[in-house]
Amino acid sequence: MPTTQRVLGMLDLLQRRAVWSGPELAAELGVTTRSVRRDVDRLRDLGYPVESERGAGGGYRLGSGRRLPPLLLDDREAVAVAIALRLAAGGAVAGIGEHALGALTKLDQVMPGRLRDKVAAVSESMVTIPGADTPVEPELLIELGHAVRGTEQVRLDYRDRAGRDTERRVEPYRIVVLGRRWYLLSYDLDRADWRTFRLDRIRAVHRSRWRFTPRPDVPDPATHVQHAVTTAPYEHLASVVVDAPADEVLECFPPTYGTVTELRPVDHPDGPACRLETGAADLDELAWYLGRLPGPFIVESPDGLRARLAAIAQRLARAAGQVEPDRHDPATTGGDY
């Protein structure tokens, strides 16, 4: 590999992960550790602040320097990019939040302090109109982004669903964007299990600087977080088969409200169909939600949901003038609602 290409490859590796040992870089680049040391000196000569630390847990890292490294950006451009990335990472631009967070984490890692002050000044002077969801502070995203990329154990000041303030020691693995909310997939050290945390409920992040070894049983981040958000918090869980295409069902039940799986023709030969898995605090609420589905559906579980659907169907039919109410049946008179 030519020297210039190898040096640029090392720069890319240093931006992907917080710390690399000399042997790790040598293995990735296919060179000796002596060549790694020479290439590190070349990066330093170009203005990139490559730091080195001896001992266990040490290695090479890309630090923040006295001036912005030569990224083909002047100060004003760097400030403009940082502000735009902050807005995008906060969800201002749909579909690019995760990529904006990755770029913002890299830029923040090497940005000089004087430019951070400029970015902070502009951010403080801006006024945004919040949506229905609680916004997440960009600084929180940056800290968690560094911890995830650096496999660094952190301590969270967290407020749970019941409003209780707790302290959680976790290994952060991935930040997941679901709808307009941000979630952190982590391994909770005190509970010895995988946990999902809403970022808007995290009050503070305390980085420990202790690196952890990634676990071999890391679940798929998107699947795990979606299941935790749409089913785990609820007392009643439902599974229904809907005679409608999956994309139509997703319009009524977006990923934050349920998991939609398209069924194969061999499993459902009568036409397009999908399985919806969702949950609610009580069966009546769940029944009303399912009434929004765009096609006929069959309840697989729970059994008690069928009775609630029947009662609601009779109420709606009576309201439409199609049946006479039974004065002695509370299911049709609405006496139990």
Side-chain angles (χ1 to χ4, degrees):
M1 184 184 299
T3 302
T4 302
Q5 183 179 352
R6 191 176 66 241
V7 171
L8 291 176
M10 176 181 291
L11 179 60
D12 181 60
L13 292 173
L14 291 172
Q15 290 179 336
R16 289 186 194 176
R17 206 171 78 187
V19 180
W20 291 84
S21 68
E24 286 176 332
L25 287 174
E28 288 286 336
L29 299 171
V31 297
T32 64
T33 55
R34 183 176 180 181
S35 295
V36 167
R37 290 192 294 269
R38 287 200 300 264
D39 290 343
V40 166
D41 291 336
R42 291 187 177 98
L43 284 175
R44 289 168 176 165
D45 292 339
L46 291 172
Y48 289 94
V50 182
E51 301 173 353
S52 59
E53 185 176 339
R54 297 179 180 274
Y60 296 100
R61 63 166 56 89
L62 196 60
S64 58
R66 298 178 182 177
R67 61 186 179 88
L68 191 68
L71 299 175
L72 302 180
L73 294 174
D74 61 26
D75 287 359
R76 289 177 296 180
E77 291 172 337
V79 171
V81 170
I83 293 173
L85 289 173
R86 281 173 180 254
L87 291 174
V93 182
I96 65 171
E98 183 178 355
H99 304 291
L101 174 60
L104 180 58
T105 302
K106 290 181 181 178
L107 185 59
D108 180 80
Q109 184 176 358
V110 296
M111 181 173 288
R114 56 186 171 80
L115 294 187
R116 285 198 184 97
D117 293 339
K118 291 183 179 180
V119 174
V122 175
S123 299
E124 291 172 2
S125 67
M126 294 189 304
V127 176
T128 58
I129 300 176
D133 296 328
T134 304
V136 176
E137 295 297 329
E139 290 76 15
L140 181 68
L141 289 173
I142 293 173
E143 287 297 301
L144 288 176
H146 281 306
V148 169
R149 190 160 60 91
T151 60
E152 181 181 334
Q153 185 185 125
V154 298
R155 178 168 53 86
L156 305 177
D157 293 340
Y158 190 72
R159 181 163 294 174
D160 62 17
R161 290 195 305 271
R164 297 170 300 206
D165 291 327
T166 61
E167 187 176 280
R168 316 292 283 268
R169 293 188 311 115
V170 303
E171 297 174 350
Y173 280 83
R174 192 73 72 224
I175 297 174
V176 178
V177 183
L178 185 60
R180 293 189 59 85
R181 280 183 176 160
W182 297 77
Y183 298 88
L184 177 67
L185 172 64
S186 297
Y187 187 84
D188 193 313
L189 295 171
D190 295 324
R191 290 158 180 79
D193 198 4
W194 296 98
R195 290 290 188 271
T196 298
F197 300 95
R198 270 178 49 176
L199 264 62
D200 59 300
R201 291 177 178 165
I202 298 178
R203 303 303 175 185
V205 177
H206 307 279
R207 295 171 59 185
S208 65
R209 310 297 176 184
W210 286 95
R211 295 180 60 193
F212 61 86
T213 301
R215 297 176 183 272
D217 59 339
V218 182
D220 177 72
T223 302
H224 184 88
V225 170
Q226 185 178 11
H227 181 269
V229 171
T230 58
T231 59
Y234 301 115
E235 180 179 355
H236 300 283
L237 306 179
S239 175
V240 300
V241 174
V242 190
D243 290 338
D247 56 351
E248 294 183 8
V249 175
L250 282 170
E251 293 180 2
C252 302
F253 282 82
T256 51
Y257 292 94
T259 302
V260 178
T261 307
E262 190 169 4
L263 297 181
R264 300 176 302 171
V266 66
D267 298 324
H268 196 278
D270 298 332
C274 59
R275 176 174 285 105
L276 168 66
E277 296 175 293
T278 185
D282 60 71
L283 289 177
D284 289 334
E285 182 182 9
L286 193 54
W288 284 110
Y289 282 155
L290 293 176
R292 302 173 58 227
L293 287 169
F297 62 92
I298 297 176
V299 176
E300 294 182 318
S301 64
D303 294 335
L305 179 59
R306 299 186 183 92
R308 304 316 307 156
L309 285 168
I312 291 175
Q314 291 185 5
R315 289 190 64 194
L316 294 176
R318 181 170 58 86
Q322 296 184 5
V323 297
E324 290 294 328
D326 183 352
R327 301 297 180 183
H328 302 288
D329 185 358
T332 59
T333 59
D336 60 344
Y337 282 84

